[in-house]
Amino acid sequence: MRKSKFLSIFLAVFLSAALMAGCGSDTGRRNREVRIGMTVYDEYDTFLSELTEDFMADVAEVNAREQGTAVSVLRFNAAQSQITQNEQVEKMISKGCNVICVNLVDRTDPSMIIEMAREADIPVIFFNRELVEEDLMSWDRLYYVGADAFESGKIEGRTAAAYLKAHPETDRSGDGVIQYVVLEGEAGHQDSIVRSETSVDALIEEGIQIEKLESSIANWNRGQAQNRMGQLIDRHGDAIELVLANNDDMALGAADEYDRRETPAKERPAIIGIDGTKVGLEGVRNEKLIGTVYNDRKGQAEAMLKLALAVAAGEPADDLPLADGKYIRLPYAEITMENIDQYDN
Ligand code: BGC
């Protein structure tokens, strides 16, 4: 999609200032090094693997464009263990990282990481899995990059409502009420809790009569969602008219189950996700999903790199949209068949 003009301008200004202030005697050689440590809760998570890919592409762009600059990234997969992630951060510090980007495994347990970073005076940017405010405020070199979960749920609900109004046949039972199920992400994740609530609120606000049949946790995962959807179908049969999934992978898992059962299109519920991952977009294009909500991973990756370069150098990040000096949240956007061509990523 949009390419990073903002990033280019920012980097040009930031890096020239940094180079002037840096070890200027090495003219012609790489004389500015930024080492970024990065750990994700699970590298097999579709959204995060795409976000990481975008981040690495941005880093490569900086290195190619800025002579005399070497940004390197030391990457780790925490494989769903907070203990492993704490050890990874320890390693990053011992290997001389100047800034650390953490996608927490357990968003309620950042204390070890904060303590180690603080002791070594290395700034930390948390991303995507939001720690509680009290933890983020506990030291001035801690930041968060993500998005506003409330907005994603609202857009999901509104998009579903618009579809239902345009497709009255979705109410297969003809009772004037849409029977729905929810596929939820991890229990305790800010996005699961908030998206599940606000998507339903938005449907009600839009005047759709709804009835919840059941919700089921599938931990953001396509395979688990397929399995859960199988159980939901076994219990509720073709009464299910709408599937609200907290992300695209789970929405696609639900569609996979209908594919496995060879359910004809007319007998399937409307299925909607959130993220706009590559596979999610493909799901919208081939009409497995009625829509999705763009979780701006490119914007998040870009903001994280800009912030990382600024804070690593101890620069004020004045030109970044930092709320409370701490938070950068990128907006979400609706994606349907109508506008999907803008999202050719
Ligand atoms: C994304 C999910 C992802 C999760 C991981 C959410 O913001 O929508 O797809 O699995 O973050 O933390």
Side-chain angles (χ1 to χ4, degrees):
M1 249 214 339
R2 66 200 169 76
K3 214 35 231 172
S4 41
K5 198 179 264 170
F6 184 33
L7 180 65
S8 313
I9 297 167
F10 171 85
L11 287 170
V13 174
F14 166 77
L15 291 170
S16 50
L19 282 166
M20 275 155 58
C23 350
S25 56
D26 275 355
T27 326
R29 289 219 318 266
R30 298 217 148 199
N31 54 5
R32 166 110 195 141
E33 245 192 275
V34 182
R35 275 191 195 195
I36 303 174
M38 185 174 192
T39 165
V40 293
Y41 91 106
D42 180 353
E43 71 179 355
Y44 297 106
D45 180 285
T46 307
F47 175 74
L48 283 159
S49 72
E50 291 189 3
L51 191 155
T52 309
E53 219 175 271
D54 292 330
F55 185 80
M56 295 309 293
D58 288 343
V59 168
E61 198 185 308
V62 171
N63 283 334
R65 201 184 41 240
E66 309 298 334
Q67 281 227 338
T69 293
V71 180
S72 59
V73 186
L74 197 58
R75 278 165 64 185
F76 292 93
N77 172 21
Q80 311 234 10
S81 159
Q82 190 56 61
I83 295 171
T84 304
Q85 188 165 61
N86 295 348
E87 289 164 4
Q88 293 170 342
V89 169
E90 195 178 1
K91 206 170 284 171
M92 292 173 198
I93 295 173
S94 72
K95 289 200 179 285
C97 288
N98 318 102
V99 53
I100 293 171
C101 297
V102 179
N103 174 237
L104 280 167
V105 175
D106 180 351
R107 72 186 193 93
T108 65
D109 192 14
S111 50
M112 273 289 280
I113 292 176
I114 294 176
E115 205 180 301
M116 289 187 288
R118 196 175 184 158
E119 214 155 276
D121 196 26
I122 297 167
V124 183
I125 303 170
F126 294 97
F127 65 103
N128 167 262
R129 298 163 72 90
E130 187 170 345
L131 62 172
V132 297
E133 196 181 340
E134 198 187 328
D135 287 327
L136 191 69
M137 295 301 171
S138 67
W139 184 39
D140 62 353
R141 302 195 83 189
L142 305 176
Y143 304 88
Y144 178 75
V145 174
D148 177 1
F150 284 89
E151 198 190 8
S152 58
K154 250 188 224 160
I155 298 176
E156 184 179 46
R158 279 190 206 138
T159 308
Y163 179 89
L164 294 168
K165 287 175 189 170
H167 296 85
E169 71 281 6
T170 315
D171 178 19
R172 283 194 313 275
S173 63
D175 63 355
V177 179
I178 296 295
Q179 278 74 24
Y180 72 96
V181 298
V182 184
L183 288 172
E184 295 183 6
E186 284 165 277
H189 191 300
Q190 82 279 348
D191 289 342
S192 331
I193 303 167
V194 173
R195 287 173 184 172
S196 299
E197 272 177 29
T198 49
S199 56
V200 170
D201 291 347
L203 278 163
I204 297 169
E205 271 163 33
E206 290 295 319
I208 307 288
Q209 301 288 316
I210 50 174
E211 180 194 353
K212 182 174 180 171
L213 296 174
E214 208 178 326
S215 62
S216 189
I217 295 177
N219 295 308
W220 306 120
N221 181 282
R222 185 167 179 162
Q224 279 187 44
Q226 177 171 359
N227 177 282
R228 301 292 180 275
M229 197 64 224
Q231 296 164 352
L232 291 167
I233 298 170
D234 289 344
R235 283 199 283 277
H236 304 286
D238 66 1
I240 305 168
E241 293 168 335
L242 171 67
V243 179
L244 293 170
N246 283 173
N247 79 344
D248 284 353
D249 264 20
M250 295 190 294
L252 292 164
D256 291 343
E257 182 57 16
Y258 283 99
D259 285 349
R260 194 187 67 80
R261 293 177 184 233
E262 298 180 2
T263 310
K266 289 205 306 290
E267 292 165 31
R268 295 185 183 204
I271 304 174
I272 185 162
I274 293 177
D275 274 344
T277 53
K278 289 173 188 161
V279 278
L281 294 178
E282 202 182 299
V284 175
R285 276 204 189 89
N286 62 26
E287 297 185 15
K288 303 251 172 187
L289 311 185
I290 59 161
T292 183
V293 182
Y294 190 60
N295 188 356
D296 188 358
R297 56 167 204 277
K298 285 184 189 289
Q300 291 166 43
E302 198 178 309
M304 190 155 72
L305 181 56
K306 284 187 247 175
L307 186 60
L309 295 178
V311 299
E315 300 274 317
D318 288 346
D319 52 347
L320 291 171
L322 271 175
D324 297 332
K326 292 277 187 181
Y327 292 93
I328 299 182
R329 292 187 202 276
L330 277 290
Y332 284 95
E334 175 186 88
I335 303 180
T336 62
M337 200 63 111
E338 307 288 305
N339 68 347
I340 196 160
D341 291 339
Q342 297 167 28
Y343 294 86
D344 56 349
N345 38 5

